[in-house]
Amino acid sequence: MKSVIKMKKIKLVLVGMFAVLTTVRAQDVLDVSGINLLLFGGDQKSISLTVDIQPLAIVDFEPEGQLISGSGETTVEAGMPATTLGGGLPDNLWLNFTHRAINYQPARIYVSANMPLPDNIIVRAEIIETGIGGDFTANPRVGHVDLSQSEQIIVYDFGNGYTGDGLGNGYRINYTVLNPNNEPFPTGYQSIYRIGN
Amino acid sequence: MKIYVFTLLLVLLATISRAQILPGTLNVTGASNITQSINDLIQEAGVDDNESSFESNFDANIVSFILDPLLNPLTLDITDSEQACTLNIFRYSVYMHTLNAPQNLIIEAKTSLNSGVRYPFSIPYDNTVDPILGPRDLYTQNGGQYIPIPNDPSVAIKVFEFIGCRTDIPIQFRAKASSLAISGTGNFQVVYTILGSLF
């Protein structure tokens, strides 16, 4: 009876050792801090590697290609005019950006218009919500901006980050048009967003 | 008691077997540089830049490993590396890790299936019907696809293995830089660790 039990123990030990060895073999990761290179006939060498990473600043609106005026469909890729106002106002526009600084220099987002408006028309833009996607430090302007041809800050200094792409990411922009006399809107009016220093 | 003796014997046997692996020298050359161009950047605002990637040349590093010359302590004869690699065939696993790589940067490495050159180019082992360790070929991990390299001083990951001595193994790198990474030039170390085994 005793010999049977001993045999079972030996088998268990063998199975255990085999399992450990198999596990070690299946593992592709090595603890190099404690390895004995001499014992394994091994060696170790290191070499320098250089990586050059570009700065990056890109901004656009979502949804893309939205029909928001009677004049046609706009393209809202980064660097392009963001919206064309006239026939109707979008109510769910989100400003997305990705930014990697040059020499740690913080960036801002500016907004301006491509042409003057008649005296009685005012276009206002305001950040009314910040999305939770991506990885960035939010620093929106509080309150609205009356658009003019001069650039004005709508997002203050921020460092490297990205908002996530699409609706619900970045900053939600609300537009208000004050046009008490219901004057005709200038054809080709655009608001322009720029990310930079 | 018998179990302990048996276990001890097994461990000793394993240790002695390991000790039979002969020492060799790993050689790594190359002026490695991975440069991100404008075209490598993401094109959609809001997306993290690590969804795009950029590569080095396919042979940014060249890896070779040959056995050291052997001295017979009795006859004082020297067996050169070529002869040592002809007579002693082992399996070698190559692990990689990086030291002090920039934060928010993923470095990946790969080689291609059976890359490099057998050393010596042809030996009697190659003509045996059923060679003990298989053909003197190079076998990639992850199907030859890129493998992320740990940036950790104590952890390395296996990238490939080969049978017998081998030279001129090309290593290609790929980088994925998050938008959170610092722009500019970063310099760091790539460490290669090679281990031999009898099996």
Side-chain angles (χ1 to χ4, degrees):
Chain A
M1 186 65 180
K2 276 188 175 178
S3 63
V4 173
I5 293 172
K6 278 186 179 176
M7 280 299 288
K8 280 185 178 175
K9 281 184 177 175
I10 291 172
K11 280 181 182 174
L12 274 176
V13 170
L14 285 173
V15 167
M17 288 186 69
F18 182 75
V20 168
L21 284 172
T22 308
T23 307
V24 170
R25 288 244 168 244
Q27 184 62 269
D28 287 332
V29 174
L30 178 73
D31 179 357
V32 282
S33 60
I35 197 73
N36 186 335
L37 293 173
L38 192 62
L39 187 63
F40 289 95
D43 197 5
Q44 191 174 71
K45 288 282 164 30
S46 66
I47 192 167
S48 290
L49 184 63
T50 301
V51 172
D52 290 321
I53 300 172
Q54 294 285 339
L56 169 65
I58 181 170
V59 63
D60 74 4
F61 265 111
E62 296 289 345
E64 294 183 21
Q66 188 183 25
L67 186 67
I68 52 177
S69 81
S71 61
E73 197 169 354
T74 58
T75 303
V76 284
E77 280 303 322
M80 299 292 288
T83 63
T84 300
L85 297 174
L89 290 173
D91 61 357
N92 193 28
L93 274 178
W94 288 83
L95 188 68
N96 298 163
F97 72 82
T98 302
H99 175 247
R100 184 188 294 130
I102 304 172
N103 299 326
Y104 302 92
Q105 213 173 354
R108 295 170 172 175
I109 297 177
Y110 301 85
V111 61
S112 62
N114 68 330
M115 64 175 68
L117 287 171
D119 287 345
N120 291 326
I121 302 179
I122 297 173
V123 174
R124 288 178 170 166
E126 181 179 6
I127 292 174
I128 58 170
E129 190 178 348
T130 300
I132 58 170
D135 189 344
F136 68 105
T137 302
N139 196 12
R141 180 185 191 126
V142 177
H144 64 260
V145 176
D146 289 347
L147 299 191
S148 70
Q149 286 183 282
S150 301
E151 284 189 329
Q152 297 176 80
I153 298 170
I154 195 163
V155 180
Y156 289 103
D157 291 5
F158 57 92
N160 290 2
Y162 61 99
T163 58
D165 182 34
L167 295 175
N169 290 312
Y171 296 107
R172 186 178 180 186
I173 307 284
N174 184 59
Y175 276 101
T176 306
V177 177
L178 305 178
N179 187 5
N181 299 331
N182 205 22
E183 294 182 35
F185 217 83
T187 303
Y189 179 85
Q190 297 171 329
S191 59
I192 300 168
Y193 287 78
R194 181 177 72 83
I195 183 172
N197 304 122
Chain B
M1 189 62 184
K2 280 181 181 174
I3 295 171
Y4 289 124
V5 172
F6 184 70
T7 307
L8 189 63
L9 279 174
L10 267 178
V11 171
L12 276 174
L13 186 64
T15 308
I16 291 167
S17 301
R18 292 278 183 200
Q20 288 177 343
I21 298 174
L22 300 174
T25 298
L26 179 68
N27 191 29
V28 183
T29 59
S32 311
N33 192 31
I34 319 176
T35 301
Q36 186 179 37
S37 74
I38 298 293
N39 294 331
D40 296 325
L41 297 168
I42 51 104
Q43 303 293 314
E44 179 66 35
V47 173
D48 193 4
D49 195 39
N50 64 11
E51 294 193 15
S52 183
S53 61
F54 49 106
E55 294 179 302
S56 70
N57 293 332
F58 84 99
D59 56 352
N61 281 173
I62 298 292
V63 176
S64 300
F65 181 82
I66 59 174
L67 291 175
D68 296 337
L70 300 171
L71 173 67
N72 186 326
L74 299 177
T75 64
L76 296 181
D77 288 340
I78 292 179
T79 303
D80 65 14
S81 291
E82 185 171 341
Q83 192 68 6
C85 287
T86 301
L87 299 175
N88 302 280
I89 307 299
F90 303 118
R91 180 187 303 276
Y92 296 102
S93 298
V94 178
Y95 297 80
M96 296 176 68
H97 68 288
T98 59
L99 294 175
N100 302 317
Q103 289 187 331
N104 301 302
L105 175 72
I106 297 170
I107 296 293
E108 301 171 309
K110 71 170 183 178
T111 188
S112 54
L113 183 64
N114 215 15
S115 63
V117 181
R118 293 172 175 175
Y119 180 85
F121 186 73
S122 180
I123 61 174
Y125 176 90
D126 300 333
N127 300 320
T128 51
V129 176
D130 190 13
I132 297 172
L133 296 179
R136 288 193 305 145
D137 288 342
L138 181 144
Y139 305 92
T140 56
Q141 299 291 294
N142 196 26
Q145 302 299 306
Y146 278 109
I147 296 173
I149 306 302
N151 185 38
D152 186 317
S154 63
V155 178
I157 194 163
K158 188 174 174 179
V159 178
F160 59 94
E161 65 178 34
F162 54 89
I163 310 296
C165 299
R166 202 167 187 89
T167 62
D168 300 323
I169 303 165
I171 305 296
Q172 186 171 22
F173 294 100
R174 181 169 73 179
K176 293 179 179 176
S178 167
S179 310
L180 302 172
I182 304 300
S183 68
T185 301
N187 193 277
F188 55 97
Q189 296 290 307
V190 179
V191 183
Y192 292 81
T193 303
I194 187 165
L195 297 181
S197 74
L198 294 169
F199 312 107

